[in-house]
Amino acid sequence: MLKFDRAEFIEKEKTALGMIPQVEKIVDEVCQKGYSNIFYVGIGGTVTYAWQVESIAKSNSTLKLYVENAADFLAMGNKNFNKDSIMVIESASGDTKEVVAAVEYAHTQGVKVIGFIEKPDSPLAKMVDYLITNDGGTYYYWYAVTLRFMYNNGEFPEYDEFMAELKNMPEALADVQEKNDEKAKAYAERYKDEPLQYLMGSGNLWGWAYCYAMCIMEEMQWMRTKSISAADFFHGTLEVIERDSVVVLFKGEDNGRKLMDRAENFLHTICNNVIVFDTKDFELKGISPKFRGLVSPFVMNAACRRVSVHLENERKHPLEIRRYYRRLNY
Amino acid sequence: MLKFDRAEFIEKEKTALGMIPQVEKIVDEVCQKGYSNIFYVGIGGTVTYAWQVESIAKSNSTLKLYVENAADFLAMGNKNFNKDSIMVIESASGDTKEVVAAVEYAHTQGVKVIGFIEKPDSPLAKMVDYLITNDGGTYYYWYAVTLRFMYNNGEFPEYDEFMAELKNMPEALADVQEKNDEKAKAYAERYKDEPLQYLMGSGNLWGWAYCYAMCIMEEMQWMRTKSISAADFFHGTLEVIERDSVVVLFKGEDNGRKLMDRAENFLHTICNNVIVFDTKDFELKGISPKFRGLVSPFVMNAACRRVSVHLENERKHPLEIRRYYRRLNY
């Protein structure tokens, strides 16, 4: 299988699982000290990961949680941000300029920052008050932070049970990639040169649809996309879909699924290129049925890794290339 | 000037201003009775109007305000919604199915609903607990609701001053349309057949950029668009912009303007089709400089009316035509 080393993948995921007890310790300490509200702050991909767990919190929690795009937050402010707020960030590079500025701003307000920073010697790793560092494992971080805050708020009583099952995720996600490889390859072969593709998600996968369109297809493949939520689709975007349009659906198993079903049924009546990636197609050994909706972002992310690998190969466009980002100033 | 009757426009706006005392009375009554939090619920265009005033509240208020897409809200729930919440909606048709369902759900929870419904004999007009009805005037409604809640929360002390100045808005917005006509016509003539256009906004105009792309260009003109916030632009979408791409910037005068300046400066180095609609180009007689940022959505909406008229004409595509919406079931 192209660019896939099962053992290496599983090893890396297992190491990422090791972050969870560290996150728990930090969140417990923050909760013990007390806080007024929680700000998840990111930009580009990182804010879309925060949206995915925000969706989970919104349905299941009364946490005072705000998700902010770092640049918007800095420019516009949020009046609910105060000295007792806690900020939560994530950065792979550790030097994303808008996030660096947001952390600097938080510190001027006396706000403490929890950060998952992949590069331990980067500016952000040195700046945050509570550092988690690891090579990869974003979802483990965001889930542990969110669910632990909820648990400490008297919500999500299945916390321990869920975290025990999460130990099965590395193997399950390796299976997902193997299972989705052929479909991902067929998709990439057929649609690699489309002038425009629509990506749709709902619930905890709306953030992923937005992210995959913007951070992978636009940024790393220079493919034109529009992401649209299954809810909004019927209020404008449907009118531009024609027989030969290309619409990719990311279907998960949370309560947003019914919105995707509705869109999928409709699309089949007007469009011949409806591609469905569905978390239901994967077994997820060791994950209880009741948690499948909750973990849909983990699953879809793994499924899409194969799409990325095949798009990269079919388009002969390595994912690392950028035309402008970090080349031109802005 | 094509499809523009100044006297008629001003008359209609003045009538809409008449809603404000009615809104104040309702919001005052709600505040006196007490509420736990506020839910602005809409779908398609209406939720994007709510986003525009949410942006204003976020920067200036500690109101517990949640903005929900009606379909997402119904499917996913929001744990902060409770019997003491107050719901605020808007509907032109008065029968948008997701909004009807949201109001029904609110009532099962004992939640009262404030609604601006244009058609007085429609289902939603009969369902809401506090009805405002008028032919047009969405912004007057959203601004009055939001700013009155803020005022009653001890914020926005300039309330009376602002509302007094708002009486100058009908004439000012008529001027905006006259001033923007030529530019809108030139834009429509040149770009009417583009295969894809990017629309960008920030701050209280991000919702407008999203709305204009989806509700006007996609829904009413069947033009392909992608809306992108000025903040996120640099984290993916920039990579697909080339010399001949078409990017339309909606620049306002709130604190989000600096993000638009940054994007505009960058875009001019890589793209030859950067079209800027800027609220600064308009005089706005009778509106104080300190309120210009606050009213940018009013202004941009008026400016874009001319774009819509000319797109409709140049494309020979009346704004009323729908291919699927309210023709096929979903």
Side-chain angles (χ1 to χ4, degrees):
Chain A
M1 211 163 96
L2 190 65
K3 280 194 163 189
F4 181 67
D5 179 328
R6 184 179 173 101
E8 188 185 270
F9 172 80
I10 289 172
E11 190 50 40
K12 220 178 144 186
E13 290 287 298
K14 283 189 173 165
T15 309
L17 273 167
M19 288 190 288
I20 294 175
Q22 300 171 49
V23 172
E24 290 172 350
K25 198 170 158 241
I26 289 168
V27 173
D28 290 353
E29 188 184 320
V30 167
C31 291
Q32 205 164 18
K33 288 187 180 165
Y35 62 90
S36 58
N37 52 36
I38 308 165
F39 276 73
Y40 289 179
V41 178
I43 196 158
T46 57
V47 76
T48 69
Y49 278 80
W51 291 349
Q52 294 168 58
V53 286
E54 179 196 26
S55 168
I56 293 165
K58 200 187 258 194
S59 299
N60 300 292
S61 168
T62 59
L63 284 178
K64 286 179 190 140
L65 174 62
Y66 299 88
V67 178
E68 287 281 350
N69 178 298
D72 286 327
F73 177 64
L74 289 162
M76 304 299 297
N78 183 317
K79 200 85 172 180
N80 282 300
F81 191 70
N82 59 53
K83 70 176 176 45
D84 299 315
S85 300
I86 181 91
M87 186 184 280
V88 182
I89 66 156
E90 174 217 338
S91 175
S93 67
D95 64 356
T96 316
K97 70 178 189 175
E98 293 94 340
V99 180
V100 169
V103 172
E104 282 169 354
Y105 171 69
H107 284 162
T108 66
Q109 305 298 302
V111 169
K112 302 281 190 210
V113 182
I114 302 174
F116 166 47
I117 314 296
E118 296 200 32
K119 292 218 172 76
D121 56 350
S122 63
L124 282 168
K126 287 167 195 155
M127 289 168 73
V128 298
D129 303 282
Y130 302 99
L131 174 67
I132 305 282
T133 185
N134 188 62
D135 178 18
T138 304
Y139 281 117
Y140 296 105
Y141 169 74
W142 282 114
Y143 273 69
V145 169
T146 306
L147 298 175
R148 192 68 176 185
F149 269 118
M150 283 169 58
Y151 178 70
N152 289 345
N153 195 38
E155 297 157 343
F156 198 58
E158 310 91 332
Y159 183 90
D160 289 332
E161 189 188 352
F162 177 76
M163 286 302 171
E165 288 196 11
L166 211 54
K167 296 199 168 71
N168 302 315
M169 201 49 101
E171 292 276 352
L173 296 181
D175 293 347
V176 167
Q177 288 171 84
E178 288 169 356
K179 175 93 193 283
N180 203 45
D181 188 58
E182 202 178 326
K183 187 172 185 174
K185 185 165 189 284
Y187 163 77
E189 280 172 1
R190 178 153 175 197
Y191 297 112
K192 63 178 175 298
D193 289 325
E194 288 295 326
L196 178 60
Q197 304 204 25
Y198 292 88
L199 273 63
M200 193 186 297
S202 69
N204 61 20
L205 288 183
W206 160 238
W208 178 250
Y210 185 100
C211 180
Y212 200 78
M214 185 172 81
C215 303
I216 307 294
M217 294 178 77
E218 289 184 341
E219 179 165 353
M220 302 187 188
Q221 286 297 316
W222 306 355
M223 297 171 76
R224 287 173 186 80
T225 69
K226 171 158 183 156
S227 49
I228 181 75
S229 79
D232 267 348
F233 175 68
F234 290 103
H235 295 271
T237 305
L238 82 167
E239 297 290 345
V240 292
I241 304 300
E242 295 174 319
R243 189 191 64 191
D244 296 328
S245 303
V246 177
V247 188
V248 181
L249 307 185
F250 293 127
K251 288 182 80 171
E253 293 167 71
D254 70 2
N255 289 326
R257 185 176 179 87
K258 55 174 105 52
L259 300 177
M260 295 298 288
D261 285 339
R262 188 173 76 157
E264 185 183 355
N265 290 337
F266 177 84
L267 279 162
H268 284 305
T269 67
I270 63 163
C271 176
N272 271 333
N273 299 301
V274 183
I275 301 99
V276 183
F277 292 106
D278 188 344
T279 62
K280 263 204 175 162
D281 292 342
F282 307 106
E283 186 188 357
L284 308 184
K285 215 176 285 177
I287 305 294
S288 301
K290 67 175 172 183
F291 292 137
R292 290 183 64 97
L294 188 60
V295 300
S296 294
F298 277 92
V299 180
M300 193 56 76
N301 179 289
C304 286
R305 284 175 181 232
R306 301 313 303 160
V307 179
S308 303
V309 165
H310 288 295
L311 281 177
E312 179 180 42
N313 183 50
E314 293 292 331
R315 290 173 57 80
K316 295 293 173 241
H317 184 123
L319 292 161
E320 292 79 10
I321 301 175
R322 299 292 180 281
R323 191 152 30 191
Y324 312 121
Y325 188 60
R326 292 181 188 257
R327 299 194 169 271
L328 297 179
N329 283 327
Y330 68 89
Chain B
M1 211 164 95
L2 192 64
K3 280 194 163 189
F4 181 69
D5 179 328
R6 184 180 172 102
E8 187 185 271
F9 171 81
I10 289 173
E11 190 51 41
K12 219 178 144 184
E13 290 287 297
K14 284 191 173 165
T15 309
L17 273 167
M19 288 190 288
I20 294 174
Q22 300 172 50
V23 171
E24 289 172 350
K25 196 168 161 244
I26 290 169
V27 172
D28 290 353
E29 188 184 320
V30 166
C31 291
Q32 204 164 21
K33 288 186 179 164
Y35 62 91
S36 58
N37 52 35
I38 307 165
F39 276 72
Y40 288 179
V41 178
I43 196 158
T46 57
V47 76
T48 69
Y49 278 80
W51 291 349
Q52 294 167 59
V53 286
E54 180 195 26
S55 168
I56 292 165
K58 201 188 258 194
S59 299
N60 299 292
S61 168
T62 59
L63 284 178
K64 286 179 189 139
L65 174 62
Y66 299 88
V67 177
E68 287 281 351
N69 178 299
D72 287 327
F73 177 65
L74 289 163
M76 304 299 297
N78 183 315
K79 200 84 172 181
N80 283 300
F81 191 70
N82 59 52
K83 69 176 176 47
D84 299 315
S85 299
I86 181 92
M87 185 183 280
V88 182
I89 65 157
E90 174 217 339
S91 176
S93 67
D95 65 357
T96 316
K97 68 179 189 175
E98 293 93 341
V99 180
V100 169
V103 173
E104 282 169 352
Y105 171 69
H107 284 162
T108 67
Q109 305 299 301
V111 169
K112 302 282 189 209
V113 182
I114 303 173
F116 166 46
I117 314 296
E118 296 200 31
K119 293 217 173 78
D121 56 350
S122 64
L124 282 167
K126 288 166 194 153
M127 290 168 72
V128 298
D129 302 281
Y130 301 99
L131 174 66
I132 306 281
T133 185
N134 189 63
D135 178 18
T138 304
Y139 280 117
Y140 296 105
Y141 169 74
W142 283 114
Y143 273 68
V145 169
T146 305
L147 297 175
R148 193 68 177 185
F149 269 118
M150 284 169 58
Y151 178 70
N152 288 345
N153 195 38
E155 295 157 344
F156 198 58
E158 310 91 333
Y159 184 90
D160 289 331
E161 189 188 351
F162 177 76
M163 286 302 172
E165 287 195 11
L166 211 54
K167 297 199 169 71
N168 302 316
M169 200 51 100
E171 293 275 352
L173 296 181
D175 293 347
V176 167
Q177 288 172 83
E178 287 170 357
K179 176 93 192 285
N180 203 46
D181 187 59
E182 202 179 325
K183 188 173 185 175
K185 186 166 189 284
Y187 163 78
E189 280 172 0
R190 178 154 175 197
Y191 298 112
K192 63 179 175 298
D193 289 325
E194 288 296 324
L196 177 61
Q197 305 205 24
Y198 292 88
L199 272 64
M200 193 186 298
S202 69
N204 62 20
L205 288 184
W206 160 238
W208 179 249
Y210 185 101
C211 180
Y212 200 78
M214 185 171 82
C215 304
I216 307 294
M217 294 177 78
E218 289 184 339
E219 178 164 353
M220 303 188 187
Q221 286 297 314
W222 307 354
M223 297 171 77
R224 288 174 185 78
T225 68
K226 171 156 183 158
S227 49
I228 181 75
S229 79
D232 267 348
F233 175 69
F234 290 103
H235 295 269
T237 306
L238 81 166
E239 296 290 344
V240 293
I241 305 300
E242 295 174 318
R243 188 192 67 190
D244 297 329
S245 303
V246 177
V247 188
V248 181
L249 308 184
F250 293 127
K251 289 183 79 171
E253 292 166 71
D254 70 2
N255 288 327
R257 186 177 179 86
K258 55 175 102 55
L259 300 176
M260 295 297 288
D261 285 338
R262 188 174 77 157
E264 185 183 355
N265 290 338
F266 177 85
L267 279 162
H268 283 305
T269 66
I270 62 165
C271 175
N272 270 334
N273 299 301
V274 183
I275 301 97
V276 184
F277 292 106
D278 189 343
T279 62
K280 261 203 177 164
D281 292 342
F282 307 106
E283 186 187 357
L284 307 184
K285 216 176 287 176
I287 306 294
S288 300
K290 66 176 172 183
F291 292 137
R292 290 183 64 96
L294 188 60
V295 300
S296 293
F298 277 92
V299 180
M300 194 56 76
N301 179 290
C304 285
R305 284 177 181 232
R306 301 314 302 161
V307 179
S308 303
V309 165
H310 288 295
L311 282 176
E312 178 181 42
N313 183 50
E314 293 293 329
R315 291 173 55 81
K316 294 295 174 238
H317 184 124
L319 292 161
E320 291 79 10
I321 301 175
R322 299 293 178 280
R323 191 150 32 190
Y324 312 120
Y325 187 61
R326 292 179 189 257
R327 299 193 170 271
L328 297 180
N329 283 326
Y330 67 89

